[in-house]
Amino acid sequence: MSDHEYTPTSKVGKWFNDRLPLLTLANHLTDYPTPKNLNYWWTFGGILTFCLITQIVTGLTLAMHYIAHADMAFESVEHIMRDVNYGWLIRYIHANGASMFFLAVYIHIFRSLFYGSYKSPREIIWIIGIIIYLLMMAAAFMGYVLPWGQMSFWGATVITNLFSAIPLVGEGIVTWLWGGYSVDNPTLTRFFTLHYLIPFLILGLVVLHIWALHVPGNNNPVGIDIKKPSKDTVPFHPYIVIKDGFALLMFMIVFAFFVFYSPNILGHADNYIEANPMVTPAHIVPEWYLLPFYAILRSVPDKLLGVVAMLSAILILAVLPWLDTSKIRSAVFRPLYKQFYWILVADVLILGYMGAMPAEGLYLLIARVATAYYFLHFLVILPVLGFKEKTLPIPLSITEPVLGGSTNLAMAKNKESLDK
Amino acid sequence: MSDKKPERRDFLFTASYAVGAVGVAAVVWPLVDQMNPDASVKALASTEVDVSSVKPGNTITVLWRGKPVFIRRRTQEEISEARSVKMEDLIHPEKDEDRAKDPEWLVMLGVCTHLGCVPLNDKGDYDGWFCPCHGSHYDTSGRIRKGPAPLNMEVPKYEFVNANTIKIG
């Protein structure tokens, strides 16, 4: 991993490091050469690590008071809110923490889309990231079921019923998932178990994600390969640590605003009504971070195809490195892609809005158009764009566009004329 | 792949993998099957309902296996409306005569066949039920007429124990 040998200065350190090279690892992490032009969009990796740890710590403490039983779950959550010391704080951090986690992960994903971070040689980092994202959705969904309110119950019913769309074995799979003939106590206890497990799976995958990142090193806003270490890099510590830390502080202000000033704004009032299998709430909506996919599900009139479309919308991201045929990573040098990128951002936001609206009339029509465009972007526009687009000349180094007169400039000019 | 003739060792490898696979499957199955409905859940297989107080045009909802069951005493108009529908107009063609043996009583799972919500009574474009989740419309026989649900609401196994009591399951 590290490009240079490391020897601890102290005798004890050397003795330990010869037996378990943890200090070499720590040294690698502090010295890790990072492109010096990373902007604030690159700080969300650190922010996401913070989110994961926050969820694990608050989750562990909540689990000390929560009771995973259909008759007691709802009450135990209210017990946490009213009786447990600082229970309200811990629960509000955990519940809003999930939203903050998704907010950060969406920014992180869209940063990759803009700067082409998913492209060779970073496909594995990207795919691990998509798996983490899938696990996050599973964890969030199951966590939402645990308070055993009306939205918990009916959200669980609707989402598990997605599996009934599978031909032949669908019904059997749903019964198996439920452990009964409807969402009930067996469903709750297993969801609690899995909700507890998944964050640790994510933690393991995060280690792999960072490991895979440290092989080629960070992408950067210019999107070119850089020599490392070189004039184009700075050591991770203290430069990136300070920048990440500052961004994290800004993020925590937003986080704290939700926790202290509007802790329920991202949730749904119906979840403060205890689960009732006899009555479905008039308007079931998932949490905001799942709305775009929910809109895709509802925009297809066929049950099986709707489920297929929704899953494809997520899984299509995993093959993105091969759908995008352009050799240029950063959208900065791709004038057409840059425009399509922003259209995609708008498209996803529109889908999210439509997911929150009733599936009828104009809403449904717009959701259908937006769904079609979503797939068009990945399956047609991206592959074709790589061949058709006239990209701008890319600099040879990060330093070049800043200093202008670097020695590489002549070479760059030369290369440009060769391209013509 | 190679032209090498299979020898004793290859046989041993293959046999070992096969035995290993059977062993793993035998261990995994109990871990998978424990998630299926257990004996106590299966034991709640049937329930008896007193329907003597249900007036024509009313529906009662009872819980059976954790799911709501609609028991509707239909009016004469509802019955004739359900029985006059042409089979070609149905998404999931089923005769009302087959769904309600005694035309006055419609007994069915109150579970939308789309994604499992409970449809609302006396709502929708077909005077039957309407699912608020994703907009499926059912007629007075509980048959799907419009919307994303693929099937009619399921009629469970039931029988009249006597004139006033229905046994579901």
Side-chain angles (χ1 to χ4, degrees):
Chain A
M1 290 202 283
S2 198
D3 297 312
H4 57 281
E5 284 299 312
Y6 167 74
T7 324
T9 42
S10 78
K11 242 185 163 173
V12 180
K14 193 176 177 320
W15 179 87
F16 182 85
N17 204 48
D18 285 345
R19 283 151 184 81
L20 179 66
L22 271 186
L23 294 172
T24 303
L25 178 66
N27 176 257
H28 161 78
L29 292 176
T30 52
D31 282 3
Y32 172 65
T34 318
K36 65 180 177 188
N37 59 339
L38 295 191
N39 55 34
Y40 274 105
W41 300 113
W42 259 265
T43 59
F44 283 86
I47 287 170
L48 283 161
T49 312
F50 165 80
C51 288
L52 178 62
I53 292 167
T54 304
Q55 291 306 87
I56 289 178
V57 171
T58 51
L60 281 172
T61 42
L62 286 172
M64 294 180 188
H65 305 278
Y66 171 77
I67 301 166
H69 189 284
D71 296 336
M72 289 180 271
F74 187 81
E75 229 171 277
S76 75
V77 171
E78 284 311 302
H79 162 71
I80 289 169
M81 293 303 289
R82 291 152 199 253
D83 303 338
V84 176
N85 300 331
Y86 294 105
W88 59 273
L89 178 65
I90 299 172
R91 176 164 175 265
Y92 277 154
I93 292 174
H94 196 72
N96 286 285
S99 282
M100 293 300 111
F101 206 156
F102 276 95
L103 175 68
V105 92
Y106 282 126
I107 295 173
H108 195 61
I109 290 171
F110 274 99
R111 188 268 292 156
S112 290
L113 292 180
F114 189 84
Y115 293 110
S117 301
Y118 50 86
K119 292 186 196 186
S120 173
R122 296 184 180 82
E123 302 96 323
I124 298 292
I125 312 172
W126 172 255
I127 290 170
I128 293 172
I130 297 298
I131 298 171
I132 292 173
Y133 175 49
L134 280 171
L135 284 175
M136 277 174 64
M137 288 199 274
F141 158 64
M142 291 190 208
Y144 197 55
V145 175
L146 301 185
W148 211 240
Q150 273 290 66
M151 277 294 158
S152 303
F153 184 89
W154 291 102
T157 300
V158 168
I159 300 295
T160 48
N161 261 310
L162 293 178
F163 291 90
S164 71
I166 303 168
L168 301 174
V169 292
E171 292 296 333
I173 288 176
V174 172
T175 305
W176 177 72
L177 287 173
W178 287 341
Y181 304 103
S182 63
V183 172
D184 211 332
N185 194 49
T187 325
L188 176 60
T189 49
R190 68 191 53 180
F191 275 21
F192 179 56
T193 310
L194 295 173
H195 182 71
Y196 210 121
L197 167 71
I198 290 173
F200 297 98
L201 296 181
I202 293 177
L203 190 63
L205 284 166
V206 166
V207 171
L208 294 183
H209 194 64
I210 295 172
W211 187 1
L213 169 69
H214 281 224
V215 176
N218 290 70
N219 184 29
N220 63 78
V222 181
I224 56 169
D225 291 322
I226 51 164
K227 276 214 195 81
K228 43 170 202 155
S230 71
K231 274 187 173 170
D232 279 345
T233 67
V234 289
F236 187 79
H237 183 75
Y239 296 95
I240 303 296
V241 169
I242 290 297
K243 189 163 185 165
D244 276 2
F246 179 69
L248 180 59
L249 273 176
M250 295 295 112
F251 185 79
M252 282 160 83
I253 291 173
V254 178
F255 198 144
F257 172 80
F258 280 106
V259 170
F260 293 107
Y261 292 95
S262 47
N264 288 308
I265 200 167
L266 298 170
H268 201 294
D270 275 356
N271 223 28
Y272 283 102
I273 303 168
E274 192 168 2
N276 180 357
M278 307 279 268
V279 181
T280 306
H283 188 48
I284 296 191
V285 277
E287 293 279 78
W288 67 267
Y289 39 81
L290 303 175
L291 286 174
F293 302 110
Y294 191 62
I296 292 174
L297 168 77
R298 295 195 306 181
S299 67
V300 182
D302 182 80
K303 179 170 163 180
L304 177 60
L305 291 179
V307 175
V308 169
M310 184 184 72
L311 290 178
S312 310
I314 304 167
L315 294 178
I316 203 168
L317 294 171
V319 289
L320 177 60
W322 296 276
L323 288 174
D324 186 346
T325 49
S326 177
K327 295 271 179 283
I328 307 295
R329 291 196 193 102
S330 174
V332 171
F333 304 103
R334 300 184 62 190
L336 284 177
Y337 173 74
K338 197 192 271 179
Q339 294 172 34
F340 284 115
Y341 170 86
W342 288 112
I343 296 173
L344 180 73
V345 172
D347 188 61
V348 172
L349 290 174
I350 289 168
L351 277 173
Y353 183 72
M354 294 307 146
M357 293 294 117
E360 56 198 26
L362 189 61
Y363 293 130
L364 188 59
L365 181 71
I366 296 172
R368 284 184 174 156
V369 173
T371 298
Y373 183 80
Y374 182 90
F375 287 103
L376 192 75
H377 175 90
F378 289 105
L379 293 175
V380 179
I381 294 172
L382 282 189
V384 172
L385 210 54
F387 297 107
K388 296 282 177 200
E389 185 177 31
K390 180 133 180 59
T391 56
L392 304 175
I394 53 169
L396 287 179
S397 75
I398 290 171
T399 326
E400 187 204 315
V402 183
L403 299 178
S406 90
T407 47
N408 290 332
L409 192 62
M411 282 164 67
K413 289 264 168 65
N414 198 18
K415 184 174 173 288
E416 208 178 311
S417 57
L418 285 175
D419 287 344
K420 278 176 187 163
Chain B
M1 280 187 276
S2 65
D3 303 326
K4 204 159 62 84
K5 258 205 269 172
E7 46 176 305
R8 228 169 79 91
R9 184 149 296 217
D10 295 315
F11 171 76
L12 285 173
F13 280 145
T14 310
S16 309
Y17 294 144
V19 172
V22 171
V24 168
V27 173
V28 166
W29 178 244
L31 297 175
V32 172
D33 193 42
Q34 56 83 22
M35 281 174 69
N36 271 316
D38 61 34
S40 73
V41 171
K42 284 182 185 159
L44 303 168
S46 72
T47 182
E48 290 195 4
V49 189
D50 178 11
V51 294
S52 55
S53 59
V54 184
K55 295 191 181 70
N58 280 4
T59 304
I60 59 165
T61 309
V62 295
L63 211 57
W64 172 65
R65 287 178 156 185
K67 285 178 177 167
V69 175
F70 292 154
I71 301 177
R72 183 169 182 89
R73 189 166 183 179
R74 297 191 293 182
T75 60
Q76 213 48 54
E77 300 88 74
E78 286 170 348
I79 298 169
S80 47
E81 191 182 335
R83 302 219 155 169
S84 63
V85 177
K86 286 196 217 108
M87 282 299 118
E88 306 87 272
D89 296 341
L90 294 174
I91 295 166
H92 174 201
E94 264 187 324
K95 279 192 186 140
D96 185 64
E97 286 83 345
D98 298 332
R99 290 177 58 81
K101 291 270 169 2
D102 176 351
E104 206 181 5
W105 293 97
L106 178 65
V107 179
M108 63 185 180
L109 292 185
V111 174
C112 180
T113 56
H114 182 227
L115 294 172
C117 298
V118 179
L120 302 171
N121 206 2
D122 295 322
K123 287 242 163 63
D125 299 350
Y126 296 88
D127 307 322
W129 285 265
F130 171 72
C131 182
C133 292
H134 307 97
S136 293
H137 299 256
Y138 296 88
D139 66 13
T140 56
S141 186
R143 292 175 297 201
I144 178 68
R145 302 300 293 274
K146 199 171 109 184
L151 299 172
N152 302 334
M153 281 193 263
E154 190 185 333
V155 176
K157 201 172 137 250
Y158 69 92
E159 58 184 9
F160 275 88
V161 183
N162 55 51
N164 288 333
T165 312
I166 296 180
K167 183 181 166 204
I168 305 165

